Amino acid sequence: MAGPVDGLPPLVDHHCHGVLRHEPDAGTFASYLTESDRPPAAGTTFFDTQTGFAVRRWCPPLLDLPAHCPPADYLARRRALGPDETRRRLLRAAGIGAYLLDTGLPGDLTGPGETAAAGGGTGHEVVRLETLAERTAAGFRAAAGRAAGTADAGEFTEVLAGAVAHAARTAVAFKSVAAYRHGLALDPTPPADDAVRDAVRGWLAAGAPRLTDPVLLRHLIALAVATGRPLQLHTGFGDPDLRLDHADPALLTGLARTTAGTGTDLVLLHCYPYHRQAAYLASVFPHVYADVGLTLTHTGPRATAVLAEFLELAPFGKLLFSTDAYGLPELYAVGAALFRTALAGVLGEWTASGAWSAADARRVGAMIAAENARRVYRLPAGED
Amino acid sequence: MAGPVDGLPPLVDHHCHGVLRHEPDAGTFASYLTESDRPPAAGTTFFDTQTGFAVRRWCPPLLDLPAHCPPADYLARRRALGPDETRRRLLRAAGIGAYLLDTGLPGDLTGPGETAAAGGGTGHEVVRLETLAERTAAGFRAAAGRAAGTADAGEFTEVLAGAVAHAARTAVAFKSVAAYRHGLALDPTPPADDAVRDAVRGWLAAGAPRLTDPVLLRHLIALAVATGRPLQLHTGFGDPDLRLDHADPALLTGLARTTAGTGTDLVLLHCYPYHRQAAYLASVFPHVYADVGLTLTHTGPRATAVLAEFLELAPFGKLLFSTDAYGLPELYAVGAALFRTALAGVLGEWTASGAWSAADARRVGAMIAAENARRVYRLPAGED
Amino acid sequence: MAGPVDGLPPLVDHHCHGVLRHEPDAGTFASYLTESDRPPAAGTTFFDTQTGFAVRRWCPPLLDLPAHCPPADYLARRRALGPDETRRRLLRAAGIGAYLLDTGLPGDLTGPGETAAAGGGTGHEVVRLETLAERTAAGFRAAAGRAAGTADAGEFTEVLAGAVAHAARTAVAFKSVAAYRHGLALDPTPPADDAVRDAVRGWLAAGAPRLTDPVLLRHLIALAVATGRPLQLHTGFGDPDLRLDHADPALLTGLARTTAGTGTDLVLLHCYPYHRQAAYLASVFPHVYADVGLTLTHTGPRATAVLAEFLELAPFGKLLFSTDAYGLPELYAVGAALFRTALAGVLGEWTASGAWSAADARRVGAMIAAENARRVYRLPAGED
C-alpha cells in the first residue's frame, strides 16, 4: 500500500543557506552541527547531538559507507570524494525542487543558482534585511569617502529604501533577524521619519557597525512589508547571541496585527521551543505562516513528535518545509530525510487510527512539502 | 476485556456555550471551526485544520454519511435534516449528563436548559462577569435616561455588586475573560473602593464600552470570589484579540495566593500551550483546577498527547472535562469523542505497561469525566 | 538481546537530599509526594498523582507487597519493617553509586555518608548557598551578642566569603535557590562591594531573616562561581513560594554569558516545564548542563516523553541524572526506576527505528547515568 509520503512532489526548501565551496577540516565540519558559535565542552563533541547522530545515520550510505560509521571514517571518505561530488550526492538525495536561499551569511558559500544546480532544482534569493542595510551603508560610506554627517542621513535613508525596492524585484522574500539583534519585543508600528533619520545619523556616525538599533530594525521591517514580498522572521532558538525568551514568536502578535490587511505575509522561522505559539499565530492571522525547518534537523528521531506538535493548531495550509541548511550539504540531506520520516510518521499514525483519511493525508503532505510555499512565494507550479 | 473508558459515567461538560438555533450557511459553519475571527488565508479553508478533520471524522456517521466525506456533502445532509434534528443527534452522541453553559456570548444561541434538553441532560448557567457588567451598565444608563454623572458612580457600584450577588443565587460558577480584555498580568489584590468608583465613573462617562479597565476587571474578580462560587478564568489560546503570552496561567500565581483560604475555587480554562503551567498551579494550590476542553477539540489526534501532558503534574482530582463547544453541535460531539479517545489512549497505555493498575485507571477516568466537576460545582451526584 | 540500559554503570545521583530518620505518619508521608507545602484539596489525596502512583508501582514489591496495593497496606508494612530496613531496601534497589546530597534543607534527615551507606555507595556534599549564609549569619550574630551594626557589615562580608571558601574545600558543588527567593531575572553581574556591604548591613539589622535580597543572592552566586566548583541552580517547578515563569532557565542567559570562560560549570536543575529551554542553553554554552531529576520522578509514565524532550536539543554530554529525592527513600527508588524505564524507552525506540546505533545508545546511556556527572563534579572514575 502506498504510504502517505509516496508520491510527494519535489520539496520546496523555503529557507536555506549556501554550503561551503571547499572541504572543511574536522573541527569546522563539527562546528556546523550546532547552533553554538563556541567550542564544545571539554570531554564532549558536537557529533554527540541529535544533529550529529542524524548526519551519521543518513549521510554515510550516500557516500558508500555504512550508516553510523565513525565520524573520522565519514570525513575521510568525504575528503576522498571532494567537495563537488559530496555536494552533488548529498543534495540530489534531498529531493528538493526549489531552493529559497538566504544570501546574508558570510563565508565562501554557494549561491542560490549554484546550490540548486548541484541539487537539480531551481534557486531563488531571500534577502536578509540587516545584511542588506550593512552592505548598503558600507558602500555609501566608501562612496562618500568620509564619515557620514548630518546631511547624509536623509540621503542614506533614500538609498536604503531604494536598495530594498531594488532587491524586491528579484528576491522571492525578505528576512529579518531582529530576534538576534534586539529581540522580538519591538514596537510593531513603523518608526516616524524623523526617528529614522536620527537613528540613521547615529548609526552612520558610529561607522555603521552591526545593526542593532530597534528603530532601524523596525524601519527595515516596514520597508520590506511595503514591498509585498513575504517577510521571513527568525523566531525561537539560534546561536547564543540570542536570548531565547526574547525570540518567542508570541512577541510578534503586535506586528501581526499592524500588518494585517497589507497583503504581505509573515513567515515565522524555526519557532522552537515556541512552535505551538507560532502555530497558534498561524491559526488566527490569515497572513501568518510557520516553518518546521531547523527544528526538525536538530531534533533527530524527535522530529516526528515536534512536527506533530506543530500540527496541533497550525492550519494545514499554513505550515512550510525548510531545511535551514547552512555550510554543509549534509544538512540538506538530513533536513529532507527527517522531514519525510516525520511526515510519514504522523500521517501514517493518523490514517492508521482512522483520525484522518488517506486521501487527506496525501493532500496535506503535499501542501506542507511544497504547495503552501509555492502559493506564498508565488513560485511557478510545475517549473521547478 | 473492559477498556479504561468503558463504564465511564455521563460526562459533566463544565464549560460550554449555546449552539446556533438556525441553520448556518457554509461560511458561517466554517467560521466556528477556528478561534480566529478573521477569514481564512487565500487558498486555504478552515476545514483543513485538526478541528475540521475531527468534525469530518466523527460527525458524518451520526448523520448517516461515511466518515471523512467532503464538507459539501456533510453540509447538504445537515440542511436536509434541519437544525433541530442535527442538534439532537449530535448532542445525544456526546453522552453529556450536565451542561455548565456560559451565557455571555452574543448570537441566537440555545440556552442552558434548551441545550441540555436536546442532549438529554441538565443545564446550568455560568455567568460571564464582563458581560454581566456591560449588560448591567446598559440597563443602568437606560434607566437613568442620561449620561451617568459623578453621583451615579457609587450607585452603579452598588447595583453591580447586587447583580453579581443575584447571579450567584442561580449560577453554578462565574467566568472571567480578563485574559482577553487586559491580559492576566493584573494586580492580584482587589482594588480599593475609591479606585473602583473612579474607574466606574470613567467607564460610564465613556458610554460603558467593552470593559477593559484593569481596575474594573479586578473588581469583578473580587466580587465573584466573594460569592464563594467557583471562578473560571480564560487562560491560553483564543481569538486574536488576545496576546498569547499575556494569557499564560502562570501569571495568575498572585491571584492563587491572594484567594487561598477564601473557600473559592479557581478553574483555569483551556490553558494551551501553557497547560503544563496550569497543571503545576493545580498541583501546588489546593483551590486551583485545570480544564482540558477546547484544547482537545482543536488538536484532533494529538488530543491524546496533550491530555498526557496535562496528566504529568496535575493531581487527578484537579482536572476537568469540557468541550467549550460554541455555535455548532458538532463541537459537542467532537469534544466528547476526542476526550474519550484521548482518555482511553493514555489510560490504556499506562495500564498496559503496568505503570497504573486497571482499577486506578477506571477510577481516575471517572474523576476527570464527571466526579471532579460534580464536587467543585456542587452538582447533585446522581440527578443529572 | 541486551537492551540499551543493560550494563548501565551505577548511577550518579548528582542532586538529592536526606531522608527522614524516623517513621513518618500517613499525612507526613503523603506530604512528601508533592512539591506543594499545602494540604490536598478537599476530596483529594496526594496519592492520586503520578508520584503517588509511581510509589505504589515500584515500592510495594521491594517491601514484599504486590504493586499498586492500597496506600494503607503499604504504610502498615513500612511501619512493620521500620525506617532503617525500609531505607536499606529502597535505596539498595535504586542502584546509585554516588549521592551528591544538598544538606541545606531542614528536618531530621540523613546526611550524605549516612544516606550513601544505606544505599551502598559514596556520599558527597552539595552546599546550599542561601542556607550557608543564613547559618553563618546566625552564628555571627550569636557570637556578637548583639544586633549587628554598621561596623559589622564589612566583617560579616569577610566571614561569609570565608565560609564559602571553606565549604568549597569539601563540597563537590554549590547550589542556589535564587529562583525561590527572588526569581531568576537577576542582574547577571556580581554586585559592587559597597552594594554588598549595604545589603549585608540591612539584612543583619533586620535580624538576618530568610535571605531574599537580590544583591545578596547575586553576591552568593559570585562567591560560588569564584571557587570553581560547579554551581547548581534551581529552575522550573517547585513549591508555591515560586512564581513558575520567573524560574524559566532562559532568564539565566545573562549569567551564562558572564560566567563563560570562568572555568565554573552551571547545572540547571529540574527545568520543567522549561526543559527544552534548558536543553537549548546546554547546547549553546559549553559550561551549562541540565538535569532530568525531579521532573522524571513527578511525571510517572510520562517520564519517557519528558526525557525525550530533553534529548531534542541537549548535547548528550550535557545531561545529568538525579532523583532530587527528599524525605522518603521511596523517591530514590522511584526516581531511579523511572529514569531507567525512560532511558530504556527512548533509546530502545531510537535504536529499533535505526535512528541510533545500539553502540551509541549504550554509550549515551552511560554518559547520562553517570559519566557526565563524574566529569563535571570530578568524581573518581571507579571508586564509587
Side-chain angles (χ1 to χ4, degrees), chain B residues 54-128:
Chain B
V55 165
R56 287 176 52 223
R57 174 197 197 177
W58 297 103
C59 300
L62 299 171
L63 307 192
D64 314 314
L65 291 173
H68 299 299
C69 73
D73 295 3
Y74 180 75
L75 293 173
R77 174 66 181 154
R78 204 184 189 286
R79 273 191 304 276
L81 287 172
D84 293 349
E85 175 64 9
T86 299
R87 183 187 316 140
R88 199 190 62 79
R89 290 194 185 194
L90 294 169
L91 287 183
R92 297 272 155 166
I96 294 170
Y99 296 78
L100 280 58
L101 198 138
D102 167 8
T103 52
L105 284 173
D108 183 23
L109 302 172
T110 56
E114 195 180 358
T115 310
T122 60
H124 308 268
E125 186 176 16
V126 175
V127 171
R128 188 185 286 233

Side-chain angles (χ1 to χ4, degrees), chain B residues 248 250-251 253-254 256-257 260 276-277 279-281 283-287 289 304-305 308-309 311-318 349-350 353-357 360-361 363-364 367 372 375, chain C residues 34-50 53-54 56-57 68 237-245 272-276 295 298-302 305-306 309:
Chain B
D248 181 346
L251 297 169
T253 307
R257 287 180 186 146
R276 283 167 158 170
Q277 281 86 332
Y280 164 75
L281 292 174
S283 80
V284 293
F285 291 104
H287 67 307
Y289 292 78
T304 307
E309 291 177 355
L311 284 166
E312 287 163 4
L313 280 200
F316 310 138
K318 304 303 255 346
E349 180 185 330
W350 298 346
S353 75
W356 286 31
S357 73
D360 278 332
R363 188 168 61 85
V364 169
M367 288 163 67
N372 292 337
R375 191 178 70 247
Chain C
T34 172
E35 285 292 296
S36 183
D37 56 5
R38 305 182 180 209
T44 75
T45 152
F46 290 134
F47 276 100
D48 280 348
T49 58
Q50 295 288 11
F53 278 27
R56 286 175 52 222
R57 174 195 198 179
H68 300 298
F237 80 121
D239 74 46
D241 265 2
L242 170 150
R243 168 96 175 243
L244 190 55
D245 53 329
Y272 182 97
Y274 309 107
H275 42 295
R276 283 167 157 169
T295 295
H298 280 264
T299 55
R302 288 290 299 170
V306 172
E309 291 178 355

